Every structure is written in C-alpha cells, then in structure tokens.
Amino acid sequence: NAGVMQNPRHLVRRRGQEARLRCSPMKGHSHVYWYRQLPEEGLKFMVYLQKENIIDESGMPKERFSAEFPKEGPSILRIQQVVRGDSAAYFCASSPPAGDVGELFFGEGSRLTVL
Amino acid sequence: GDSVTQMEGPVTLSEEAFLTINCTYTATGYPSLFWYVQYPGEGLQLLLKATKADDKGSNKGFEATYRKETTSFHLEKGSVQVSDSAVYFCALRSTGGYQKVTFGIGTKLQVIP
C-alpha cells in the first residue's frame, strides 16, 4: 500500500511564475490536508479538502493560492505569480473518510524555491 | 477553538539523558492526541498516539500519557540517542465538526554524543 505521494519533491520557480504541487493520497483515503512549513518554523495549516469539495480553506491566502481535489486524479495546490516569500516546504497529508479520529499520513513534501 | 501549546526549542541533550517535551492542549470534548516526528529533510511520521483519557501511547522508547485533568500529553524518553535528533510535533484531532487536526509549533531536539 503506497503512502502519500507528492511531486515534485523540489521545484524552482522565478518570481511571477506559477507553481503546481501534486498530492496523491493513500489508497482508500478521501481527505487531503495541505500544510506549509517555512524554514525553522512549524507547520501552518492551509486547506482541507474532500473529493470535489473544499471543507476548510481558512489557512490559505486569499490571493494567488488555490487548491482542488478532483473526482479523479491527485489534489493540486496552485500558487500563481510566486514571490520569494512563497519559498517553503509544502506538505500534504491524507486520512480516511470522516468518522475516523486516527492520525494523518504525510507525504515527503514539495520544496519550493523562488528565485 | 482548539489549540496545542508545546515547549519551544531547541532542546539540547547529551546522549543517554532523560527527555521531556511538554505539551498542553485546549479542546472541547475528548480529542485524540498525537506526537509526530520529523527528521531533517523528511515529512512527518506518527510517533505515538492516545485516543482517550489515561491512555498511554508508546513507541521506540518514547511514551506519553493522555491526562484529561491537566489537559496534557507530555512526551518522555528515558535515554535519548543521537538518532533521536529531530523536530517533535504535538497534535490533537477533535471529535466534533470535521475532526480538524491542530499542531503545536514543534520542538527541535538535538542530541550530542
């Protein structure tokens, strides 16, 4: 049973470009969370999605950031017109359907560097 | 809303020293509690968990007890090793709403030989 898969592991973009980060949850998991981690800082919640629904996007900046989790395919975190402050590690986590109060399963992260 | 407070690091210990990382929480109801560990350059891994009061989670020599009366879930290990150097995150998962997961800020542990 493959774990949570994130790609790319490393991404370099110039200011103003777009970054797309992908996350495939564990098999059977229908809930996806995205977190951002700045260097030497903790995890900051960004968004929580179920298939075709955004449940909580309270941690995601209103501008330039968007997330989706389509019926088919991976969840995608999209950052438009990147700025240097977007440089961070972005982690995706998944969990089984609602009603389970167990742990989240994390991917290895996607490290974005904005030049 | 829910919150998790854990001691700030970094914590530096000599090998074989005793480790305690404090964690307290605020939540309604009876959340599940977790400790995650993040090694350099990697994602978070579950270290241990407890789902109800007085439960003790344990793994790899680490343990933590769910204390409802003090709303705490302190992480302990009797004898740390260099390989335990990592960042440790305390977290809770609420039982209401959509079972939101809330993380503490993380505590960096460095173990020196």
Side-chain angles (χ1 to χ4, degrees):
Chain A
N1 189 12
V4 177
M5 303 300 292
Q6 289 189 248
N7 68 82
R9 290 293 309 278
H10 299 276
L11 181 64
V12 178
R13 286 288 179 265
R14 297 190 181 280
R15 281 179 296 169
Q17 292 184 319
E18 179 180 288
R20 284 194 181 214
L21 310 177
R22 296 174 188 77
C23 169
S24 296
M26 286 184 70
K27 188 176 181 180
H29 287 190
S30 55
H31 295 194
V32 166
Y33 302 75
W34 285 94
Y35 291 86
R36 178 165 64 177
Q37 186 176 40
L38 293 169
E40 304 299 316
E41 294 191 15
L43 282 176
K44 182 178 184 297
F45 167 78
M46 297 185 74
V47 61
Y48 164 54
L49 310 105
Q50 297 175 14
K51 286 279 187 181
E52 301 184 279
N53 279 308
I54 296 175
I55 306 302
D56 182 355
E57 55 182 347
S58 59
M60 198 158 66
K62 295 285 188 288
E63 297 180 356
R64 303 189 298 108
F65 285 74
S66 63
E68 62 176 8
F69 189 15
K71 187 176 180 181
E72 301 291 337
S75 175
I76 295 175
L77 179 67
R78 182 183 179 204
I79 311 172
Q80 296 177 289
Q81 300 172 349
V82 296
V83 300
R84 289 219 172 103
D86 296 333
S87 295
Y90 292 84
F91 290 96
C92 168
S94 72
S95 71
D100 179 276
V101 290
E103 68 269 29
L104 300 185
F105 295 81
F106 280 82
E108 294 289 309
S110 291
R111 284 156 181 80
L112 172 65
T113 300
V114 179
L115 302 178
Chain B
D2 296 345
S3 67
V4 175
T5 303
Q6 62 179 106
M7 59 190 290
E8 293 200 30
V11 173
T12 302
L13 295 173
S14 298
E15 207 166 20
E16 298 185 2
F18 184 86
L19 168 71
T20 300
I21 300 178
N22 290 335
C23 172
T24 57
Y25 68 90
T26 302
T28 55
Y30 298 89
S32 295
L33 301 175
F34 308 88
W35 277 100
Y36 287 83
V37 59
Q38 183 182 32
Y39 298 103
E42 299 183 10
L44 277 70
Q45 306 171 25
L46 179 70
L47 181 60
L48 53 84
K49 68 179 181 181
T51 57
K52 61 183 187 294
D54 300 324
D55 267 2
K56 177 184 283 188
S58 61
N59 186 24
K60 300 180 181 179
F62 291 88
E63 58 182 35
T65 301
Y66 189 141
R67 300 286 188 201
K68 180 75 176 164
E69 62 276 13
T70 55
T71 61
S72 65
F73 193 55
H74 304 321
L75 182 68
E76 296 182 336
K77 186 175 185 182
S79 176
V80 294
Q81 305 301 312
V82 173
S83 57
D84 293 327
S85 298
V87 180
Y88 293 82
F89 291 90
C90 184
L92 71 81
R93 189 165 193 181
S94 62
T95 53
Y98 70 77
Q99 294 91 42
K100 184 176 182 178
V101 181
T102 303
F103 284 87
I105 62 171
T107 302
K108 186 174 183 178
L109 170 66
Q110 183 178 12
V111 181
I112 54 178

